[in-house]
Amino acid sequence: MQETSKLLTISIASYNVEEFLSRTVGSVILPDEFMKFLDIVIVNDGSKDGTLSVASKLAANYPDSIRVIDKPNGGYGSTVNDGLYSAKGKYFKLLDGDDEFNTENLALLLKYLMHAEADLIITPWVIMKEGLDSRELVRKHTELSTECIDMEEASFGDGIAMFEVCIRTSLMRELGVRISEHCFYTDNEVVMGALMCARTVAMFDKPLYCYRLGVEGQSVSIEGQRKHFRDYPKAFKGALNIYEEGRKALDGNIKGGRKFATDMLISMLMRGTYIAYMLQERPLSYRAELMAFDSFIKREYSELYELTGRTKVVGCARKAGPLGYRILCRLVYRMELKRTR
């Protein structure tokens, strides 16, 4: 171990999660032999319910392992920033206040981290559907193993999600990663930071993160996307800023697996931006605004503009006239309705 005995910081973003927080934190409580290696940071983002009270009681029970940061509301990105820049662990991982970890596998991960050399550790994850007794395992990147390889040698077949990422803390700080505040959809900025700062990668092949889908008011729901649609371009720009900083640090040498994964992430962010605007109840009213952002990408990032146009939704929407655009918007709505059910 390096400058600290803490192996892993788990930063728990907490906003009005009084109902879930005890269960969430309970999922990262381990026997004493493991707790001493954990740095659990509950970041209360100006909650209006009893989240802070629950968090304070949990921290009092484990004063050497759990601490609470109580701050005014600044959005998800602000909780990541506070967690990252106060982290004591060699590695850093996020957990939303209404999600969970697999407790048994967390203990195994800590054993693995005791000897890990990779900068980026990828873990499978699980989707839990609220109100249903079902769990869907998401295991990607089967070409990776517990052995550390260079980022350029990895293929990252289906891109990377925040749920999979466990990153060396010091590298995120050295890159100066700061996540956009007062904004939704910023988990992709975290992924971009990890992709741009990591030199090596390995797989811990046990599902850890358990993502709860279907909670009322989630930002990924159709209603959430409609309400927060302007946060998509803001988070996209935040991710591009991190991308640019990383490219400078790498002397512009983005290749292999790193390039494949960042290209996929950038394409996904543009696709998400288009979909959020196309889901509006009167999408034509916001098309000019969307096209203005599209023109910004074309002007400032011409290479990435061409890349994002290969995405079917984006490519078709760019070429469509008013009638075709309206039809596309209906198709997008049906697609998103099916995905979020």
Side-chain angles (χ1 to χ4, degrees):
M1 265 160 282
Q2 298 179 348
E3 71 274 1
T4 175
S5 62
K6 296 294 185 181
L7 280 173
L8 178 65
T9 291
I10 301 172
S11 181
I12 303 178
S14 304
Y15 177 71
N16 290 351
V17 288
E18 176 185 9
E19 176 185 357
F20 299 102
L21 190 58
S22 291
R23 183 166 53 183
T24 297
V25 176
S27 74
V28 298
I29 299 300
L30 300 174
D32 291 344
E33 62 185 290
F34 294 104
M35 286 300 290
K36 63 184 179 181
F37 296 117
L38 281 178
D39 171 39
I40 301 164
V41 189
I42 305 172
V43 187
N44 179 48
D45 191 34
S47 296
K48 298 175 182 177
D49 63 358
T51 295
L52 178 59
S53 176
V54 173
S56 298
K57 289 175 183 176
L58 292 166
N61 291 332
Y62 298 91
D64 295 329
S65 299
I66 302 179
R67 53 201 171 92
V68 178
I69 296 176
D70 182 31
K71 55 180 283 301
N73 182 263
Y76 180 79
S78 70
T79 71
V80 177
N81 292 332
D82 278 23
L84 177 61
Y85 287 92
S86 69
K88 300 175 182 178
K90 178 181 176 182
Y91 289 92
F92 181 78
K93 189 160 181 64
L94 297 173
L95 176 60
D96 285 356
D98 54 0
D99 292 332
E100 302 171 18
F101 278 176
N102 180 304
T103 308
E104 180 179 349
N105 289 343
L106 175 59
L108 294 175
L109 174 65
L110 286 174
K111 288 183 178 180
Y112 174 74
L113 293 181
M114 289 176 187
H115 307 286
E117 296 179 357
D119 297 329
L120 174 60
I121 312 293
I122 300 294
T123 61
W125 51 291
V126 169
I127 297 173
M128 307 182 298
K129 294 193 175 179
E130 186 70 3
L132 299 175
D133 186 21
S134 69
R135 295 195 169 210
E136 176 188 343
L137 176 63
V138 183
R139 175 181 275 113
K140 304 186 291 182
H141 321 300
T142 53
E143 74 285 355
L144 294 175
S145 73
T146 56
E147 298 300 315
C148 166
I149 63 171
D150 289 345
M151 285 288 290
E152 286 75 15
E153 295 176 12
S155 66
F156 299 120
D158 295 315
I160 294 179
M162 178 274 284
F163 314 112
E164 300 173 280
V165 169
C166 180
I167 183 69
R168 191 181 295 268
T169 308
S170 60
L171 294 181
M172 292 282 275
R173 289 174 175 166
E174 287 169 15
L175 188 60
V177 172
R178 300 289 303 185
I179 309 303
S180 300
E181 303 195 358
H182 298 286
C183 183
F184 285 78
Y185 314 114
T186 51
D187 55 320
N188 295 302
E189 297 180 43
V190 177
V191 175
M192 184 65 80
L195 289 173
M196 296 308 291
C197 75
R199 298 158 299 199
T200 53
V201 59
M203 165 74 81
F204 173 75
D205 197 21
K206 298 283 185 182
L208 183 64
Y209 199 112
C210 302
Y211 170 55
R212 182 171 281 104
L213 183 64
V215 177
E216 185 178 353
Q218 277 186 314
S219 60
V220 294
S221 66
I222 289 178
E223 294 75 17
Q225 291 182 78
R226 281 177 170 173
K227 182 178 180 181
H228 304 292
F229 70 105
R230 287 193 173 100
D231 284 348
Y232 271 93
K234 183 178 178 181
F236 193 176
K237 287 180 179 178
L240 288 175
N241 289 337
I242 295 170
Y243 176 80
E244 286 298 317
E245 288 303 309
R247 187 156 68 171
K248 290 176 189 174
L250 293 165
D251 296 323
N253 191 22
I254 303 175
K255 60 183 181 179
R258 191 194 311 276
K259 177 169 172 44
F260 183 86
T262 53
D263 282 358
M264 282 199 70
L265 180 57
I266 289 165
S267 295
M268 185 196 73
L269 288 167
M270 180 61 95
R271 181 179 183 274
T273 301
Y274 261 80
I275 286 175
Y277 274 78
M278 294 171 77
L279 283 175
Q280 297 304 305
E281 292 184 356
R282 298 192 306 276
L284 283 174
S285 301
Y286 299 96
R287 192 182 184 197
E289 185 178 320
L290 174 60
M291 290 301 106
F293 176 72
D294 196 71
S295 296
F296 163 80
I297 298 297
K298 184 176 183 179
R299 183 175 65 253
E300 301 294 329
Y301 304 94
S302 57
E303 182 181 333
L304 301 181
Y305 179 82
E306 181 182 349
L307 168 72
T308 57
R310 298 171 197 161
T311 305
K312 188 176 293 186
V313 168
V314 176
C316 291
R318 280 176 178 167
K319 297 173 184 175
L323 178 59
Y325 186 77
R326 194 180 289 116
I327 293 170
L328 276 173
C329 291
R330 291 181 190 145
L331 293 173
V332 163
Y333 176 81
R334 290 172 191 162
M335 175 182 70
E336 286 297 291
L337 191 64
K338 182 179 180 181
R339 181 186 68 82
T340 56
R341 275 180 173 170

